[in-house]
C-alpha cells in the first residue's frame, strides 16, 4: 500500500485551493488502478501541529484569528461538503431505502499510510471484498483501515450515505481536532461502482494552533519579518553613507539603492501577506500580487546589477554601448518568466505537496538564470583581462574580490540545488515538512549576501574616482578619473592633463571598442 499511496498522491487532482480553505468545485473522483473498484478524490494535504489546548470546543468562526476560542487549536473542519451522484445512478436506487451509497472521508497522518488498504493483509486491495468480509477483517463496501493500537481513533473515517434515490448528500459539519504533529492527508473515497461519476463540492478548513498558515509555510512568516529588518538595517547604513558622500555619487550607486529599496519592499510585503493569510485562511489577492511583482522586479534588477557590474560599467567603461538593448531584452524576458512562475506558485494550489505543473514554469526561469551566469562570468573574464593589460591595481583587486564572492555564491548554489533535488527525491510525501522552509529561505539569504558584498565593494567614499571610469591617459595617476555623474568636478590639474591628451578622441575610441565587444 506504501507504493499505492505514493501513486495516489502523485496523481492527485488539482483542487481549487485558497490557502488553508480547500474549496471543491464540482470535481470528479479518480478510479484507483487495481481491481478494488475504489474511487478517490484528494481533499488536501498540509503539515499540522498538535493543538496546544486538547479536547476543547472549537468555535465555528473561521474568519477571525483573534477569537479567543481559536487560540491554540488545530483542526480540520468540514463545511458544506456535498456529494452529487449522477441521475442514472440515483434512479437505480429504491426510494424508501435508507442507505443507497457510501462515500468515506479518510484522514490520516502520512506515517500511517500503510494502514489504508490491505497491505497488512498481504493484499493490494483498497476496498473490502466478500472474502475479507467473511474473514472479519473489514466490512463489505468500505475502505480497508487498520486502526492504530496506540490511537484507536486514527486513521479517521467519516461516513456519509446517500438516502433513497436522492442525488445529493452532505457531510455533517464537524471538526476533527489534531492532537499529534504530522503531515495529514484527506481523501474522499467510495467503493461502490454504481457511484461512478459522483462529484464533490464544498470546502474544508485547516488550521494550526497559531493560525491558518500551512505548517511548512508558518516559519517563513517569522523569516520574512527578520529579513525585513535586515534590509532595513542595510538600507539605513547605505543611506547614511549615501548622504555623507552625496556629492561624489556615481550612477552605479543609484542602481544599488534601487535594489536595496526593492528588497525592503519585497520582504515587508511578503511578511504582511503571510500575516493576513495566517489570520484569515485565504491569500489576499491584492497583497499577494504586489508581493509577487516586487519579488520579480527585485530578482530581475539584482541580476541586471550583477551583469552590468561584471561588464565593468562605471569602472572600465562609461556606457554599455551596443549591449544595452541585449541586456534590457534579457531582463524583460526574465521578469515575465519569473512573474509567471511566482503567480502559479503563490496564487494557485496551496498544498504542502508540490504539483508537477510547477516544473513547466521552472524550466524557463532556470534556463534564463543559466544565461545570466554564463554572461556574467564571461564579462568578468574580459573585464579582468582588460584591467590586467592596463595595470590598474586598485580596480583589478576590486574585481578579484567581486569575482571570488560571485564564484563562492555559484558553488553554494550548485551544492544547494543538489541538496534540494536530494531532499525532494527522498521526501516525496513531505514528511520533512517542518524543515522545508529552509529551501526558499536559502535563496533569499544568498541574494542578500551578494547585495551586501556589492554595497561593501562599491560603497560611496571621498574618492569616488578611484574606481570610476577614467579614459586611460598613459600617466601614473590611473587611480583618478571622471565621476559618472554629470555634476562631478575634476581637479584642475587632472582636467588640464585630460584636455591635453584629447579626451574626446579617447572616449570615441573606447566606445568603438565597446561596440566591437
Amino acid at each position: 500500500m506504501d507504493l499505492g499511496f505514493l501513486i495516489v498522491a502523485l496523481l492527485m487532482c488539482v483542487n481549487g485551493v485558497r490557502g488553508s480553505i480547500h474549496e471543491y468545485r464540482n470535481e470528479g473522483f479518480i478510479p484507483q488502478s487495481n481491481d478494488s473498484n475504489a474511487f478517490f478524490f484528494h481533499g488536501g494535504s498540509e503539515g499540522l501541529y498538535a493543538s496546544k489546548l486538547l479536547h476543547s470546543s472549537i468555535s465555528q468562526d473561521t474568519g477571525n484569528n483573534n477569537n479567543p476560542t481559536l487560540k491554540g487549536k488545530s483542526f480540520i473542519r468540514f463545511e458544506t461538503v456535498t456529494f452529487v451522484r449522477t441521475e442514472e445512478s440515483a434512479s437505480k436506487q429504491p426510494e424508501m431505502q435508507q442507505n443507497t451509497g457510501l462515500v468515506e472521508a479518510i484522514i490520516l497522518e502520512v506515517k500511517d499510510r500503510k494502514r489504508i488498504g490491505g497491505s497488512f493483509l498481504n493484499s493490494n486491495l483498497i476496498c473490502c471484498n466478500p472474502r475479507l468480509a467473511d474473514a472479519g477483517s473489514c466490512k463489505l463496501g468500505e475502505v480497508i483501515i487498520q486502526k492504530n493500537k496506540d490511537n484507536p481513533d486514527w486513521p479517521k473515517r467519516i461516513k456519509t450515505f446517500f438516502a433513497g434515490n436522492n442525488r445529493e448528500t452532505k457531510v455533517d459539519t464537524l471538526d476533527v481536532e489534531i492532537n499529534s504533529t504530522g503531515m495529514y492527508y484527506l481523501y474522499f473515497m467510495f467503493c461502490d461502482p454504481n457511484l461512478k461519476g459522483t462529484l464533490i463540492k464544498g470546502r474544508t478548513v485547516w488550521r494550526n494552533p497559531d493560525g491558518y498558515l500551512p505548517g511548512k509555510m508558518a516559519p517563513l512568516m517569522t523569516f520574512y519579518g527578520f529579513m525585513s529588518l535586515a534590509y532595513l538595517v542595510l538600507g539605513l547604513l547605505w543611506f547614511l553613507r549615501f548622504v555623507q558622500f552625496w556629492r561624489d555619487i556615481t550612477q552605479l550607486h543609484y542602481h544599488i539603492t534601487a535594489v536595496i529599496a526593492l528588497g525592503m519592499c519585497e520582504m515587508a510585503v511578503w511578511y504582511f501577506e503571510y500575516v493576513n493569510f495566517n489570520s484569515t485562511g485565504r491569500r489576499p489577492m491584492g497583497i499577494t500580487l504586489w508581493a509577487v511583482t516586487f519579488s520579480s522586479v527585485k530578482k530581475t534588477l539584482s541580476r541586471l546589477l550583477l551583469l552590468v557590474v561584471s561588464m565593468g560599467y562605471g569602472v572600465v567603461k562609461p556606457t554599455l554601448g551596443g549591449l544595452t538593448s541585449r541586456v534590457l531584452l534579457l531582463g524583460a524576458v526574465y521578469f515575465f518568466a519569473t512573474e509567471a512562475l511566482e503567480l502559479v506558485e503563490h496564487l494557485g494550489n496551496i498544498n504542502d505537496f508540490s504539483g508537477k505543473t510547477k516544473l513547466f514554469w521552472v524550466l524557463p526561469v532556470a534556463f534564463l538564470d543559466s544565461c545570466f551566469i554564463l554572461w556574467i562570468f564571461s564579462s568578468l573574464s574580459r573585464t579582468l583581462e582588460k584591467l590586467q593589460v592596463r595595470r590598474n591595481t586598485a580596480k583589478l583587486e576590486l574585481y578579484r574580490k567581486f569575482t571570488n564572492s560571485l564564484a563562492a555564491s555559484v558553488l553554494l548554489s550548485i551544492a544547494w540545488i543538489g541538496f534540494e533535488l536530494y531532499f525532494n527525491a527522498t521526501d516525496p510525501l513531505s514528511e520533512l515538512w517542518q524543515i522545508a522552509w529552509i529551501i526558499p529561505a536559502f535563496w533569499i539569504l544568498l541574494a542578500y549576501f551578494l547585495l551586501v558584498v556589492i554595497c561593501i565593494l562599491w560603497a560611496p567614499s571621498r574618492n569616488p574616482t578611484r574606481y570610476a571610469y577614467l579614459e586611460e591617459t598613459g600617466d601614473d595617476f590611473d587611480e583618478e578619473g571622471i565621476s559618472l555623474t554629470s555634476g562631478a568636478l575634476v581637479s584642475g590639474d587632472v582636467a588640464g592633463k585630460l584636455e591635453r591628451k584629447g579626451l574626446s578622441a579617447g572616449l570615441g575610441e573606447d566606445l568603438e571598442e565597446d561596440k566591437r565587444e
Side-chain angles (χ1 to χ4, degrees):
M1 179 55 197
D2 190 17
L3 179 60
F5 184 85
L6 176 59
I7 294 174
V8 167
L10 291 174
L11 294 178
M12 68 180 183
C13 57
V14 177
N15 310 302
V17 177
R18 302 292 303 280
S20 288
I21 298 178
H22 297 246
E23 297 180 353
Y24 320 123
R25 302 183 179 91
N26 289 318
E27 296 168 83
F29 287 69
I30 299 174
Q32 177 67 9
S33 56
N34 56 34
D35 58 354
S36 65
N37 291 327
F39 291 77
F40 74 93
F41 175 84
H42 180 259
S45 54
E46 289 185 14
L48 295 174
Y49 292 94
S51 294
K52 297 178 181 178
L53 301 175
L54 303 182
H55 308 299
S56 54
S57 60
I58 301 175
S59 169
Q60 294 298 314
D61 182 2
T62 63
N64 183 9
N65 192 46
N66 296 321
N67 189 332
T69 60
L70 293 180
K71 295 296 184 181
K73 312 297 176 59
S74 182
F75 59 83
I76 301 173
R77 172 175 296 151
F78 291 80
E79 292 185 354
T80 66
V81 177
T82 304
F83 306 112
V84 183
R85 58 182 171 183
T86 64
E87 186 174 352
E88 179 184 1
S89 175
S91 63
K92 296 179 179 179
Q93 306 301 328
E95 183 177 356
M96 303 305 295
Q97 188 170 336
Q98 186 175 3
N99 299 329
T100 57
L102 171 64
V103 182
E104 299 175 80
I106 310 295
I107 304 175
L108 71 150
E109 194 178 348
V110 68
K111 67 181 181 181
D112 291 330
R113 59 189 177 273
K114 292 184 178 181
R115 298 183 181 277
I116 304 299
S119 58
F120 66 99
L121 299 172
N122 297 321
S123 171
N124 291 323
L125 295 176
I126 301 296
C127 294
C128 187
N129 60 19
R131 180 178 61 83
L132 294 176
D134 292 340
S137 301
C138 54
K139 292 184 179 180
L140 185 64
E142 294 185 1
V143 174
I144 303 171
I145 296 180
Q146 181 191 24
K147 291 294 183 178
N148 189 337
K149 294 180 180 179
D150 297 329
N151 190 1
D153 292 333
W154 289 86
K156 184 75 68 176
R157 184 205 306 264
I158 301 169
K159 299 180 181 180
T160 303
F161 291 93
F162 285 92
N165 57 7
N166 293 337
R167 290 193 58 196
E168 293 189 7
T169 187
K170 183 178 177 181
V171 180
D172 293 335
T173 300
L174 76 157
D175 303 306
V176 178
E177 190 164 355
I178 304 300
N179 298 326
S180 175
T181 298
M183 169 61 67
Y184 286 86
Y185 281 78
L186 167 62
Y187 283 95
F188 296 97
M189 306 183 73
F190 62 81
C191 298
D192 186 353
N194 292 323
L195 293 179
K196 183 177 181 180
T198 297
L199 303 178
I200 181 174
K201 60 183 180 180
R203 70 179 192 174
T204 55
V205 179
W206 304 52
R207 190 185 188 281
N208 270 293
D210 297 319
Y212 292 99
L213 272 176
K216 76 176 184 180
M217 295 176 66
L220 286 173
M221 182 174 68
T222 304
F223 174 76
Y224 283 130
F226 279 116
M227 288 308 300
S228 298
L229 294 176
Y231 270 98
L232 180 61
V233 171
L234 178 62
L236 287 175
L237 294 175
W238 181 262
F239 178 74
L240 293 175
R241 193 84 177 179
F242 196 94
V243 172
Q244 183 180 1
F245 303 104
W246 68 273
R247 293 180 180 274
D248 304 315
I249 296 302
T250 67
Q251 190 67 34
L252 190 60
H253 292 137
Y254 289 103
H255 292 290
I256 297 174
T257 303
V259 174
I260 295 175
L262 282 170
M264 292 172 59
C265 294
E266 177 194 12
M267 294 298 105
V269 173
W270 275 123
Y271 174 74
F272 286 112
E273 195 264 358
Y274 271 52
V275 169
N276 190 296
F277 185 1
N278 194 49
S279 298
T280 65
R282 292 179 177 269
R283 304 205 78 157
M285 181 72 71
I287 300 178
T288 305
L289 190 59
W290 275 108
V292 165
T293 303
F294 271 122
S295 181
S296 300
V297 172
K298 185 246 183 180
K299 287 180 180 179
T300 302
L301 289 185
S302 297
R303 283 155 178 76
L304 291 178
L305 176 62
L306 290 174
L307 180 58
V308 299
V309 167
S310 302
M311 289 178 172
Y313 172 68
V315 178
V316 299
K317 60 175 65 175
T319 69
L320 297 180
L323 295 176
T324 303
S325 58
R326 300 180 192 176
V327 171
L328 293 177
L329 177 61
L330 179 60
V333 174
Y334 185 84
F335 168 75
F336 287 113
T338 306
E339 181 82 355
L341 174 61
E342 294 283 343
L343 288 174
V344 169
E345 183 174 0
H346 296 287
L347 292 180
N349 199 23
I350 313 296
N351 273 314
D352 276 353
F353 195 99
S354 299
K356 294 189 293 183
T357 54
K358 182 181 174 182
L359 183 64
F360 175 79
W361 301 99
V362 169
L363 290 178
V365 175
F367 173 76
L368 292 171
D369 274 327
S370 301
C371 292
F372 267 112
I373 291 174
L374 292 175
W375 201 353
I376 285 171
F377 277 99
S378 62
S379 298
L380 273 175
S381 177
R382 287 195 296 269
T383 300
L384 288 171
E385 183 179 354
K386 184 179 293 186
L387 290 174
Q388 287 175 342
V389 170
R390 295 179 180 180
R391 297 180 180 178
N392 193 318
T393 307
K395 294 179 181 179
L396 183 60
E397 183 64 21
L398 171 73
Y399 268 86
R400 279 177 176 169
K401 292 179 180 178
F402 176 66
T403 302
N404 291 338
S405 301
L406 200 59
S409 69
V410 170
L411 291 177
L412 282 173
S413 298
I414 294 174
W416 193 258
I417 289 173
F419 168 75
E420 190 172 341
L421 292 174
Y422 172 79
F423 184 90
N424 291 329
T426 56
D427 187 37
L429 299 177
S430 299
E431 294 178 86
L432 301 176
W433 57 276
Q434 295 185 68
I435 62 172
W437 66 274
I438 66 174
I439 292 178
F442 169 82
W443 298 110
I444 297 173
L445 287 173
L446 183 62
Y448 182 79
F449 163 76
L450 285 175
L451 184 57
V452 169
V453 169
I454 291 178
C455 289
I456 293 173
L457 295 179
W458 274 270
S461 65
R462 287 191 178 88
N463 187 15
T465 57
R466 184 183 185 191
Y467 295 133
Y469 169 77
L470 169 67
E471 179 63 28
E472 299 300 330
T473 64
D475 293 326
D476 294 332
F477 53 89
D478 62 324
E479 298 295 316
E480 301 174 352
I482 301 175
S483 174
L484 291 178
T485 54
S486 59
L489 299 178
V490 183
S491 66
D493 291 341
V494 176
K497 291 181 180 181
L498 289 175
E499 185 176 359
R500 290 193 298 272
K501 292 295 182 179
L503 176 60
S504 299
L507 286 172
E509 292 174 2
D510 196 77
L511 289 173
E512 288 296 324
E513 180 183 354
D514 292 338
K515 291 180 180 179
R516 289 195 297 272
E517 289 180 1

